Amino acid sequence: MFNSKSKSSFDETPASSTSIIGAGTTITGNVQSNGDIRIDGIIKGNLVAKAKILIGAEGVIEGDIDGKQADILGKVTGKIKVADLLYLHGKAEVDGDIYAGKLQIEPTASFNGQCHMGANVVDLIKITERSSAVNE
């Protein structure tokens, strides 16, 4: 049921699917989603999604986030990389650097870290990651 599969299974997941990690659930390890994902529980690891990421008001991420678009209402401790719009709603708490094409922050949300915005940010991230991988 929970057998480890090759990375190709990640690529075969339909993009229209939505994954939900409910309140009361804690996942330790990295999570990948080909479609939309909603987090109301806790992830202690990195989150990668090829579509929209929604962190609910009770959701907690202790790791980096990488996705196309994200709405955050909960707490994130780590780097956030979003190609399109990153929206910090309500009482969202972000402790870490942000890389986003666009950023919208409500007055009740809090953010501590550096912010890098613009259309070229995503390309800059990819170049930086490639050069750091070569240097390792």
Side-chain angles (χ1 to χ4, degrees):
M1 179 173 184
F2 292 105
N3 293 342
S4 177
K5 293 189 177 184
S6 67
K7 188 174 179 176
S8 63
S9 63
F10 172 65
D11 296 331
E12 294 170 3
T13 306
S16 61
S17 67
T18 300
S19 300
I20 299 173
I21 297 175
T25 301
T26 299
I27 295 178
T28 302
N30 297 334
V31 175
Q32 294 180 330
S33 176
N34 214 17
D36 295 346
I37 187 165
R38 178 183 175 107
I39 310 296
D40 290 312
I42 300 169
I43 295 180
K44 295 181 180 183
N46 299 329
L47 172 62
V48 177
K50 292 186 178 181
K52 186 173 183 174
I53 298 168
L54 175 65
I55 312 290
E58 302 300 316
V60 176
I61 306 290
E62 296 176 5
D64 296 342
I65 294 176
D66 191 348
K68 184 175 180 184
Q69 183 178 2
D71 287 356
I72 299 176
L73 291 90
K75 183 173 182 175
V76 177
T77 304
K79 189 183 330 180
I80 300 175
K81 294 185 260 181
V82 176
D84 292 333
L85 175 65
L86 172 61
Y87 191 174
L88 305 182
H89 297 265
K91 296 183 179 181
E93 294 179 39
V94 175
D95 290 316
D97 294 345
I98 290 176
Y99 299 84
K102 299 175 188 171
L103 177 64
Q104 185 170 355
I105 303 176
E106 290 185 355
T108 53
S110 68
F111 161 59
N112 293 306
Q114 293 185 353
C115 181
H116 307 271
M117 286 178 49
N120 63 347
V121 168
V122 176
D123 294 332
L124 178 64
I125 293 168
K126 290 177 185 175
I127 292 169
T128 305
E129 288 176 348
R130 278 190 223 131
S131 65
S132 65
V134 169
N135 293 333
E136 290 179 352

